[in-house]
Amino acid sequence: MRIVVAHNRYREAQPSGENTIVDAEIAQLTAAGVEVLPFLRSSDEIASMPATAKALLPISPIYAPRAQQELARLLTEHRPDVLHLHNPYPLLSPWVVRTAHRHGVPVVQTVHNYRQVCSSGLYFRDGQICQDCRGRALGVPAVVHRCYRGSRAQSALMATTLAVHRGTWKSVDRYIALTSAVADHLRDYGIPDERIVVKPNGIPDPGTPPPLGQGFLFLGRLSPEKGLGLLLEAWRRHPDGALGPLRVAGDGELRPLVEAAAAERADVTYLGSLDRAGVRAALAASAAVLATSTWHDVLPTVIIEALASGRPVLGTALGGIPYLVGADTPREPAGTGPAAVASAPASGAEPAVGVSALPTGIQTGEAGWVVPPEPAALAAALPVAAAGAAALSTAARSRYERTFHPDVVTKRLIDVYAGVARP
């Protein structure tokens, strides 16, 4: 099987999980015997472009002529079975879908954000969830609020691009939704069920999980949408030391909030930015991981890392988080007494939480818990997660092995290709 993987890489100065996932996916496909033809561009190329090329940049999200010419040559020469598109902006343009179809090549796209509808791709503005452009033929609110790169002109261009390419997106042969929430987003956009496959990303297997540590780990960008403020407000509702330690790792504009909390309380530690070895050590030292996003976070990789390490997750009930912890379908709350924590639940059974009854609003999943993104709800859930982490450790690792292991996700991806490949 021969696959073109098309992706506009984000700038290297801007850490991108999407870049990392595309690189890993190419390596996994190659290892599985798939011939991959990378068709990659990088936003870092823009700085060194000649003046004539830069002059055309404003129209490139709508139509990037050089990319179409180069892709047409590649398709003609190699006759691939499928084109797999990730991010098309700004140097590829969604027009690559039309170019592939003109050459008889079916297109699969992995949806990493909400940019079919939202100019920023986040459904998040001014510190809160925003879906003002949903259902509109033209995203005028995005222009008014300068949602794309803080520029009214660039927001107008992106809103126009999304309007122009509505038919382009409707023509994609198969969409890969990273979670059930993304699948819902695509259905709302008008994509029929039979053209949507839910297939999450995977991460390499770190090996047998180490014994559980103590307390909680928050690992991520220290920015408002990741819910650091929500977490610290909920944490302060408990006496110092009552929940064990809280370790916070990462960097960003809200770093002063963490530093202030660490100075104020003995049970809060700021670890700074961590390399891969540091992340593994922080996971090993903790019993559970926190994912307290206040936006519809598509697929926070930290949750998959937690599950791979046998750490259950307490998160907000937004975006892909319920899917990742296995709480995206209604489940009856556990509440039969503390004896329930004696052993991990059988596969498919309701996990124990170690309390006589769950506080209102807490939903238990296979590998963790989700709550509304509110301080009171999160504060109520923290002791539940502290008491129940050991009971869900085995289930967390099991969910990783069944759903997010690279062998599993690569096989599913190849099956997607086979389902659309031309005979």
Side-chain angles (χ1 to χ4, degrees):
M1 186 175 289
R2 184 176 294 163
I3 307 296
V4 173
V5 175
H7 176 56
N8 190 127
R9 298 179 67 84
Y10 297 89
R11 296 189 307 273
E12 291 303 321
Q14 174 186 339
S16 165
E18 194 169 329
N19 285 352
T20 301
I21 289 299
V22 171
D23 292 343
E25 204 162 82
I26 289 173
Q28 291 159 8
L29 287 168
T30 302
V34 175
E35 182 181 354
V36 177
L37 303 171
F39 186 68
L40 308 177
R41 298 295 178 270
S42 172
S43 292
D44 287 330
E45 299 171 21
I46 295 173
S48 59
M49 283 181 173
T52 51
K54 286 183 178 178
L56 294 174
L57 276 175
I59 68 165
S60 63
I62 297 176
Y63 179 75
R66 180 181 172 187
Q68 308 320 309
Q69 294 163 7
E70 293 173 347
L71 178 59
R73 284 197 295 270
L74 184 150
L75 297 176
T76 300
E77 179 180 355
H78 294 282
R79 296 185 55 80
D81 298 292
V82 176
L83 182 141
H84 185 173
L85 175 63
H86 291 270
N87 172 46
Y89 301 113
L91 300 179
L92 295 183
S93 159
W95 208 282
V96 297
V97 176
R98 302 188 188 193
T99 299
H101 283 161
R102 192 172 72 248
H103 286 77
V105 178
V107 176
V108 169
Q109 192 200 11
T110 296
V111 180
H112 295 272
N113 53 47
Y114 305 105
R115 193 161 276 149
Q116 286 81 12
V117 175
C118 175
S119 290
S120 73
L122 301 178
Y123 277 155
F124 191 82
R125 174 176 60 81
D126 297 335
Q128 58 187 357
I129 292 170
C130 169
Q131 296 185 340
D132 289 352
C133 293
R134 182 178 167 193
R136 293 176 178 262
L138 181 65
V140 174
V143 182
V144 172
H145 297 289
R146 300 180 174 90
C147 290
Y148 188 65
R149 297 183 176 177
S151 164
R152 185 163 287 168
Q154 292 194 57
S155 297
L157 174 62
M158 182 54 70
T160 301
T161 299
L162 299 183
V164 168
H165 282 296
R166 188 177 301 273
T168 306
W169 293 130
K170 296 286 179 70
S171 74
V172 168
D173 299 274
R174 192 77 80 245
Y175 276 105
I176 294 176
L178 296 178
T179 68
S180 54
V182 176
D184 289 341
H185 156 72
L186 289 169
R187 292 186 193 100
D188 185 66
Y189 186 67
I191 306 301
D193 276 347
E194 61 268 20
R195 286 163 52 199
I196 302 170
V197 174
V198 177
K199 184 208 73 68
N201 297 328
I203 64 166
D205 190 342
T208 303
L212 283 190
Q214 295 182 323
F216 295 90
L217 173 66
F218 177 97
L219 173 65
R221 188 169 60 253
L222 305 185
S223 54
E225 73 276 7
K226 288 296 184 179
L228 180 64
L230 167 67
L231 168 59
L232 293 177
E233 184 175 347
W235 192 264
R236 289 189 177 100
R237 298 190 180 201
H238 296 275
D240 197 327
L243 299 170
L246 169 63
R247 301 172 183 87
V248 178
D251 206 351
E253 61 192 281
L254 298 187
R255 176 175 175 172
L257 285 184
V258 188
E259 293 174 331
E264 169 192 334
R265 296 179 61 118
D267 60 357
V268 178
T269 301
Y270 176 49
L271 302 177
S273 296
L274 301 177
D275 58 15
R276 296 310 307 164
V279 169
R280 288 194 295 271
L283 284 167
S286 305
V289 168
L290 297 162
T292 54
S293 295
T294 56
W295 72 292
H296 287 295
D297 210 339
V298 176
L299 191 138
T301 304
V302 64
I303 296 181
I304 306 178
E305 291 178 311
L307 303 184
S309 297
R311 270 58 182 169
V313 175
L314 168 60
T316 46
L318 293 173
I321 296 173
Y323 169 84
L324 292 175
V325 302
D328 58 334
T329 55
R331 301 169 68 92
E332 292 298 322
T336 56
V341 301
S343 62
S347 175
E350 181 64 30
V353 297
V355 290
S356 58
L358 285 178
T360 301
I362 302 176
Q363 186 175 336
T364 306
E366 178 187 352
W369 310 263
V370 293
V371 295
E374 302 163 357
L378 183 57
L382 284 166
V384 172
L392 291 193
S393 176
T394 299
R397 173 66 188 186
S398 177
R399 180 160 178 78
Y400 162 75
E401 292 174 346
R402 294 194 323 272
T403 311
F404 307 108
H405 192 282
D407 292 348
V408 174
V409 297
T410 302
K411 181 182 182 303
R412 293 179 67 188
L413 180 55
I414 293 172
D415 288 344
V416 172
Y417 294 155
V420 300
R422 59 186 181 184

